[in-house]
Structures are given as C-alpha cells and as structure tokens.
Amino acid sequence: MALIVEVLDRVGTVLSRVRIGDRPLTVGRAFDNDVILDDMYVDARHARIHVAEDGSVEIEDLGSINGLVQLQGKERMPRLAVQPGTQVQLGRTILRFRDPDEPVPPALTERAAAGLPVHGLLDKPWWRAAMCIGAVALVILLSWLMLYERQSAAIAIGIGIGYLLFGALWCGAWAVASRAVLGRFNFFGHFAVFSGLTIPGLLYSSASAWVLFIFPDNPISAPVGFAVWLFLTTASIALHLGFASTMNRFRRWRAGAITAGAITVMFGLLAWAGSEVFTDVPTFNAILKPVDTRILPAKDVAGFSELVQELVQEADEMAED
Amino acid sequence: MVHKATAPRRRAAAVLVTLAVLPGGAVAQVQVPSSTVTPGVFERYADQVVKIEVVETSSSAKVSVGTGFFVTDDGAVVTNYHVISDFIHDPDRHRIELVDPTGPRTPLEVRAVDVVHDLAVLASRLKPAAHFDLAPISVAQGERLYSLGHPNDLGLSIVEGTYNGHLQHTLYPKIHFTGSINPGMSGGPTISEDGRVIGVNVATSGNQVSFLVPVDRAAALVRAATAPGYEPPDSTLELIGRQIMAYQAEYLDGMFDDSVRTVELGPFRAVTQPAPFFRCWGDSYREPELPYESVTHSCSTDDWLYIASDQWSGMVTVTHQLLTTESLSALRFHSLYSDVFGEDNTPYGAEEHVTRWTCGTRTVRNETSPLRAVLCVRRYRKFEGLYDAVLKVAVLGKRDTGLVSTLSLSGVSRENIDLLSRRYLERIAWR
C-alpha cells in the first residue's frame, strides 16, 4: 500500500508532502534525511518509515530523545503501524499519513487560492474610488449643513480633512496588521471598507434626526439606532478582517459580532457607572427641522398637562429614591 | 507771569472768607453730629446686639457667623434665617450659640422662622438688661441710620448710612440702605439715632448698596412667636416648605393670564413684564458677515428666597430669543435654531437639594402657531410638592425666522407648572 506522508506544524499547516515508495524513508533534522524536519525537538536521525513485504507501512523510533507519540494515544511508541489518517507526533511536528488516491477539489480562483476571501464591490477599483470620494463628500456636505458661522465652508472642508486623516490612521493600522498576517497591506481595500460603512452610518444618523423631530420621544428610535450601530460595527470588523486574515466568512462575522458586543458591554458599564452621578444639566430632544408643520402630530395646549403630570411623577419618584 | 500766579491765590482767599462768614452753628449741624452722635449710639445699644454662631458639632468649629439682637426681656433674639440655615437643614450635626466675647457661650433654640422674609426668632435663657422695641416708625429718605453687626467676624461694629426708601421692583418690601453692610452683619439691626429699629440687615450688592427687611415683618414674627400658647414647629423644614408653597401660590396668582403684557419680536408676539416685580432687559447680536441676527428680550424677578447656601427659590425668568437670517438655507438655519433651542439655561442645583431634571418634548398647536415645547422638571428633595421647571418653546413653520422662548420657574407647585406652562404656550403667537 502506497501512502503519502504530510509534515504539519502544530497548528496544522502543511509544510511538505512526500510519497512513500518501496524504499525506506529516514526522518530527522539532518539534511541527509528523506524527510527533513525543521524542529529543534527532533533528533538528527529520528525515525524511519518502511514498507513491509505484505505492503503494510510502519514508522520506527531510531532511539530519539523525544520519541514517537501517537496523537490519539498520547503515549510514546517504539514503533507504530500506520494507515491513511494516522497522525504521529515527533517533537513539535506532526506526520500525517494519507491515501494517494484521495480526490482533491478543483482549483480556486487566483484570489481564493492565495487564501483571501472574495469581497465583491470592495475589490473593484472604481467602486473603491467612488466610496472614498462619496464618503468625504458626504462628511463635508453634512458638516456644512450643520454650520452657520462666517467660515462655514472652510470649517466643513477642515472636518473633511480630519475625517480623511482619521481614516488613514485607522486603515493604516489595519494595513500593518494585514502585512503581518498575509504579507500585503491592502490599504485601499481597508479604506474602501471604512468609506463604504461611513456612508450608511451618516445617512442613517441624518434620517434618524428627522424622525426624532417628527416623532419626538418615540420609543423606537433608540433601539433601532442601537441595532444599526451594532450592525455597522460588526460589518466593519468583519470586512476589515476580510482584507487582513484568511478567516472564512462565518468566523469573520463572528469576530465582528464579538467585538461589537464587547464595545457595547464596555459602554453599557460606563453608562451604568455614570447614571449614578448627579448632574444639574438636563438632556432633552432639541432637534428642529424645516418640515411642513401640517404633517407633525401635534396636540392642543390643554393636552400639554399630560406631559406635566408625567414629568412631575417621575421627579417625585427620583426624590423618593 | 506774575499776574497769572497771583490770580488763583486771590480766589482761594475769597473762598476762605466766605466759609469764615458762615454761621458756625450751621456748619456744626451738617458735619459734627455724625462724629459725636455715633459713639453715643454705639455705647447705648451695643449691649443689645449679639453675635450668633452655628457650630458644627463633630469639629466644634463654626460654619457660619451672623448677628442678632434682643427683642424681649426674656432673651428672644431676632436674626436672619440664612444665618442659621445650616442648623435648620441638619440639626443633628449643628448647634446655635450666642457668643459674648467676655462671657460664656449660650445655646439658642429656634422659636420661629419666616423663610420668605429671611427672618428667625431664637430663644436664649439670658435676661438682657435692655432690648430693642420693634414698633413701626416712619423715616424720611436721606435720614441717617446706624447699622450694627459683626462684619467678617471682626467684632461688633457700627456703620453709618442713609435710608433710601423701599425697593421698587420687589414683591415684598425691602429697604434700600446706603451703607456698607458686610457678611457677618446679617441679622443685625439698623436703627435710628434714638434706638428705634428700622430694619434687619439682610443683603448687600456692594458699593454701599445694602438691603434691610422692614421692621414690621420682624415685629409680626416676634409677636407670633411670643404669643401665649405658641409652640415652635416640630419640623422647621416642613414649616419652610409650607411657607414656600404659600409664597409661590401668592406671587404666581394670575401670572400670564389674559391681562399680561406682550412684546412684538419680529413676526412674533410673546409675554413680557408678567408682573410689576419683574425687570426686563433687551439685547441684540448683529455682526457684519454673520449670516444671522439674534435679538434677546428677557424679564426676571428681583426677589429670590434663600433656602440654603446652595439653594435659592422663588425666581421666575422669561427669555425670548428671535433668530432671523437672510442668507442661510432652511436646513442650515434650522441647525442654528436647534443649537439655540438646545442651550442649557436651567438654574443651578445641588444634589443635596434637588433631583436630576426629567424632560419631555412635544409638538403643541395653539390658536395661531405650531410649537415645539420641551419641559424639564426637578423636585426639591426636602420639600414635597415643590419643583423647579423650565419650559422651552420654539415656534415652527418658517424657513428663515424662529423664536426660542424660555420660562424658568423655581420652587413652584405642580398645579402652577401645569397652569403657567399652558398659559405661556397660549401666549406665544404669530402676529
């Protein structure tokens, strides 16, 4: 029975594969071995693999310091019969035996073959450029609409530049991480992710201000806003990881969700700690928008008493605490 | 040269002559009395004025110093409520003592308090040889008065000054005394040359502008506190709560009703000078190239009640801010409008005395206009049924003009928050 021996590191990455023929193979750290292991815990001549007359394959310890350990058994063995699927540990290296007739899946596209997930629009240079320019333009436009001072345009452009600098720092950090993990920076990919998520974030917060003006103190805006924030944070981490790791889609989104959850818990704790601190500054909804006032749900003046009673009761409850 | 030098000298000689021919008696009547009478006043009445200290029991050190004066032969002392307010708020940790620099300290007990007029009557077990009489008297403007007290705890002092009538913008009468009343003199008497009390020292706004509580208020409190069968209140704080409640019911009665005056601001009409005890001010903000204009009109009461060193009550303010623009787009104008509407102009509050604010926002439509209204309320922790409230209103519906109007009330009942908010909302209108 012919077999393939795979050399794996401890995390399971395949380092090399050697076909076992009729001739015995020597395994060790010395360069004259048939299977050379780059592992300080492996002897110069550690083991030998040979095929018996009946075709069965066996691995034999050549008196090494750390010996042979069958992975499932965790015990040191002087010799061991192997078949497809057997895994043996030598020092910190694992030898895995496989059947040469095992089928292999078809080749992937170039990007996936390099271990990188596929990103769709984020990989298309025109879309990247459109997202970056669109995000900066939106930041400047929305800033300008919020300003009413003499140099509003200059301040808005300054805010746009600040946004770009922040993005460069954020994406630069991701790019450095990508370089460490994958060997490439992917800076523009990260910048596309950053810009691509800024746009829905800004559009949502603008839309939400209008909703809060038309329906002040509504009970829905806050939870919806929180859900949108959670989604955008999760998506941000997941998409950045797409350019910075070889994780599959599920693991990337899970990592994003965990990060968003952790940030939520952190801010939740901060808010909880802060809620006990006394302040004489009120918080209230002061948003005003130019809408046709006929669409505003309004009450007559007599109906205002309801709010007075509600607030007085709340204040009484606070005083009695 | 010679002529120029001699001319002024000749004029000076002429003035000297004029003074010399004045009757000596006339000069003496104008200038001499203050220097000869004052020592006499001090000598005659110093014994009847005492120093009052509120002592923190765990440190045995004073937390406040003020002045008081005997008003009965069995040792009742009148002072200001604010001199002893630390004791009222926390009687377990404080005691009140009468301090005689030559004799022992004497404990004092609270007999009666009038928080509205900032007065208190304390009982001592001393039998003063003499005491002040609180019979009401009339005084002419400009008459010389003498204020006694312990300025900055420096020892009993006498300050000369003049009577300048009653303040014109206050809800309750206060005497305007032109003389230097300083901290520590609070609760001391201001008297005439013959020892009749005109008022009780209560406040100063610096530069010799000082205020007195008229003597009739002190007399009324002393009469009540010394009446046969009178018992001091079980809880002074509860009594103070009732006094604030009655005070607000009185001064807010009828406020913003149909007879209220209004002011025209751009296209809007809003209330102004809600009562004679309000004073109103105006201001505008226009700068070249600034894309908007702002005009402010505000009115506020002069009166306020001292409740504790970090709590005041009884103030009402009304502020209108008109915003107009010619160059801002509707969206940008509303960013400005939102920011002005969101400004915090609520009064200070200390955690010991008030809860946090709780606020709500509503759209309200009165007869002429749609309004956005925000109401914030907080309660007095120690006084059930009393609240501070701030109502902020923005008139909606214009692309380039807006009015932010704020009504601030302190120490009022829930009924008054409700009634005054609604009246206020009714009276903001398009012209």
Side-chain angles (χ1 to χ4, degrees):
Chain A
M1 181 179 62
L3 283 177
I4 300 289
V5 58
E6 283 180 336
V7 179
L8 311 174
D9 64 13
R10 294 216 301 174
V11 290
T13 309
V14 178
L15 301 175
S16 64
R17 291 189 176 100
V18 177
R19 173 184 282 275
I20 305 169
D22 298 335
R23 201 171 60 79
L25 298 177
T26 57
V27 182
R29 191 151 43 87
F31 296 155
D32 60 352
N33 284 294
D34 299 307
V35 182
I36 304 165
L37 304 183
D38 183 17
D39 180 344
M40 297 304 287
Y41 296 86
V42 167
D43 280 42
R45 269 169 235 299
H46 198 109
R48 181 192 292 135
I49 299 168
H50 48 86
V51 183
E53 280 175 10
D54 63 356
S56 64
V57 181
E58 199 179 56
I59 181 164
E60 179 194 355
D61 187 354
L62 296 178
S64 66
I65 289 173
N66 292 313
L68 297 180
V69 176
Q70 189 178 7
L71 267 198
Q72 287 82 0
K74 296 279 177 197
E75 275 174 45
R76 199 170 157 156
M77 319 280 268
R79 58 176 59 228
L80 180 68
V82 299
Q83 49 196 347
T86 305
Q87 296 191 43
V88 184
Q89 187 170 349
L90 293 77
R92 303 209 165 169
T93 305
I94 292 159
L95 298 185
R96 181 166 69 189
F97 296 88
R98 300 187 73 163
D99 185 348
D101 296 332
E102 216 176 281
V104 293
L108 298 177
T109 58
E110 193 186 340
R111 171 146 219 127
L116 297 177
V118 183
H119 301 108
L121 293 180
L122 290 173
D123 278 335
K124 303 212 165 30
W126 280 109
W127 270 102
R128 284 186 181 182
M131 280 189 269
C132 296
I133 294 167
V136 176
L138 196 60
V139 166
I140 293 175
L141 174 71
L142 292 178
S143 307
W144 183 73
L145 286 176
M146 283 169 63
L147 291 164
Y148 40 79
E149 298 303 329
R150 261 172 276 197
Q151 289 93 16
S152 295
I155 298 170
I157 289 168
I159 292 171
I161 292 170
Y163 165 79
L164 279 176
L165 287 176
F166 173 76
L169 279 176
W170 170 254
C171 298
W174 275 107
V176 169
S178 308
R179 176 75 172 76
V181 176
L182 298 178
R184 50 170 92 180
F185 283 109
N186 283 330
F187 179 81
F188 290 103
H190 287 298
F191 213 96
V193 171
F194 176 69
S195 310
L197 292 176
T198 301
I199 295 172
L202 287 177
L203 291 179
Y204 172 77
S205 67
S206 304
S208 128
W210 287 82
V211 171
L212 274 171
F213 170 68
I214 298 169
F215 304 103
D217 296 359
N218 77 69
I220 298 156
S221 280
V224 169
F226 175 67
V228 169
W229 176 87
L230 215 55
F231 171 75
L232 288 176
T233 309
T234 304
S236 161
I237 301 294
L239 294 174
H240 277 303
L241 282 175
F243 284 105
S245 76
T246 56
M247 290 180 182
N248 65 30
R249 182 183 298 247
F250 171 75
R251 291 182 61 191
R252 283 186 280 134
W253 282 85
R254 189 180 59 183
I258 291 170
T259 311
I263 295 173
T264 307
V265 169
M266 226 164 59
F267 279 100
L269 284 173
L270 276 177
W272 176 74
S275 66
E276 296 297 308
V277 178
F278 177 80
T279 168
D280 66 348
V281 178
T283 46
F284 55 89
N285 173 357
I287 300 169
L288 300 174
K289 295 283 182 189
V291 300
D292 187 332
T293 54
R294 283 170 300 185
I295 69 159
L296 292 176
K299 287 193 170 172
D300 59 4
V301 172
F304 199 69
S305 295
E306 210 176 285
L307 177 64
V308 175
Q309 301 310 330
E310 206 177 287
L311 296 178
V312 161
Q313 196 176 336
E314 264 177 55
D316 280 341
E317 281 163 19
M318 282 195 270
E320 275 140 33
D321 272 351
Chain B
M1 286 293 287
V2 173
H3 285 280
K4 277 181 184 171
T6 52
R9 205 176 291 155
R10 202 177 299 148
R11 254 202 309 274
V15 172
L16 279 174
V17 169
T18 314
L19 273 177
V21 296
L22 276 172
V27 174
Q29 274 175 7
V30 175
Q31 292 195 336
V32 179
S34 63
S35 53
T36 57
V37 169
T38 309
V41 171
F42 186 81
E43 199 184 314
R44 282 198 298 281
Y45 303 110
D47 286 354
Q48 302 171 36
V49 180
V50 297
K51 183 161 94 166
I52 293 171
E53 287 188 0
V54 176
V55 176
E56 205 268 331
T57 44
S58 59
S59 61
S60 289
K62 57 181 175 272
V63 291
S64 71
V65 177
T67 305
F69 54 98
F70 288 114
V71 290
T72 62
D73 50 15
D74 59 354
V77 173
V78 164
T79 187
N80 288 137
Y81 159 76
H82 78 251
V83 168
I84 55 153
S85 67
D86 285 316
F87 173 82
I88 304 278
H89 281 272
D90 199 352
D92 296 336
R93 283 181 43 217
H94 297 96
R95 58 177 186 262
I96 314 174
E97 291 177 348
L98 185 155
V99 183
D100 179 349
T102 57
R105 287 166 169 263
T106 310
L108 291 168
E109 282 170 23
V110 177
R111 289 289 293 176
V113 164
D114 178 351
V115 74
V116 174
H117 298 101
D118 200 353
L119 290 172
V121 177
L122 310 174
S124 73
R125 49 181 167 68
L126 298 176
K127 302 279 177 233
H131 64 83
F132 286 107
D133 179 25
L134 298 183
I137 62 161
S138 63
V139 193
Q141 183 150 15
E143 193 167 315
R144 184 157 293 274
L145 301 177
Y146 305 87
S147 185
L148 289 154
H150 290 267
N152 300 318
D153 199 15
L154 296 172
L156 185 61
S157 309
I158 186 163
V159 173
E160 290 175 35
T162 45
Y163 175 83
N164 266 305
H166 282 74
L167 297 185
Q168 289 174 356
H169 294 282
T170 55
L171 178 56
Y172 284 113
K174 273 203 187 96
I175 293 169
H176 178 192
F177 172 69
T178 304
S180 297
I181 292 182
N182 280 300
M185 294 179 74
S186 285
T190 293
I191 57 177
S192 60
E193 185 188 325
D194 57 359
R196 291 172 305 161
V197 178
I198 312 300
V200 181
N201 306 338
V202 69
T204 175
S205 62
N207 285 333
Q208 303 220 39
V209 179
S210 299
F211 307 109
L212 314 174
V213 183
V215 66
D216 56 329
R217 304 289 157 170
L221 191 65
V222 170
R223 250 196 323 278
T226 54
Y230 172 82
E231 285 293 327
D234 291 336
S235 161
T236 315
L237 274 180
E238 266 176 37
L239 170 73
I240 290 171
R242 287 198 298 274
Q243 290 176 349
I244 303 170
M245 188 64 89
Y247 175 70
Q248 61 91 36
E250 186 185 339
Y251 80 85
L252 295 175
D253 184 39
M255 194 170 284
F256 307 133
D257 65 9
D258 294 339
S259 64
V260 72
R261 289 175 57 189
T262 56
V263 59
E264 288 174 358
L265 288 161
F268 305 103
R269 183 178 289 135
V271 300
T272 185
Q273 189 79 45
F277 49 90
F278 277 74
R279 280 206 274 188
C280 299
W281 310 87
D283 196 8
S284 68
Y285 183 62
R286 290 185 184 87
E287 281 189 13
E289 292 176 56
L290 194 68
Y292 63 89
E293 285 183 10
S294 160
V295 174
T296 308
H297 179 100
S298 63
C299 302
S300 66
T301 50
D302 271 0
D303 285 275
W304 42 267
L305 301 190
Y306 177 102
I307 295 173
S309 58
D310 47 4
Q311 188 182 23
W312 301 269
S313 183
M315 296 154 298
V316 180
T317 61
V318 168
T319 308
H320 309 299
Q321 188 170 359
L322 170 73
L323 294 168
T324 49
T325 184
E326 284 178 1
S327 58
L328 288 176
S329 63
L331 279 172
R332 294 179 68 204
F333 175 72
H334 278 74
S335 293
L336 163 73
Y337 202 15
S338 301
D339 284 356
V340 172
F341 190 48
E343 274 170 18
D344 170 36
N345 36 21
T346 54
Y348 170 80
E351 185 172 14
E352 186 192 345
H353 300 295
V354 289
T355 65
R356 291 207 280 183
W357 292 103
T358 167
C359 304
T361 304
R362 294 287 185 274
T363 310
V364 177
R365 209 178 294 274
N366 69 16
E367 276 177 23
T368 61
S369 347
L371 310 169
R372 173 50 59 89
V374 170
L375 180 68
C376 294
V377 174
R378 69 181 177 198
R379 214 197 85 178
Y380 286 12
R381 287 187 191 277
K382 295 176 185 169
F383 306 111
E384 204 181 330
L386 286 171
Y387 307 84
D388 287 343
V390 173
L391 173 67
K392 292 177 83 93
V393 186
V395 186
L396 305 176
K398 281 281 175 200
R399 300 168 62 82
D400 55 1
T401 309
L403 182 77
V404 173
S405 182
T406 308
L407 166 67
S408 176
L409 302 165
S410 57
V412 300
S413 67
R414 75 161 71 190
E415 291 75 19
N416 268 329
I417 298 175
D418 187 12
L419 181 66
L420 297 180
S421 297
R422 284 186 285 116
R423 282 184 180 165
Y424 197 79
L425 289 168
E426 294 281 10
R427 280 166 185 61
I428 292 176
W430 291 100
R431 285 205 272 138

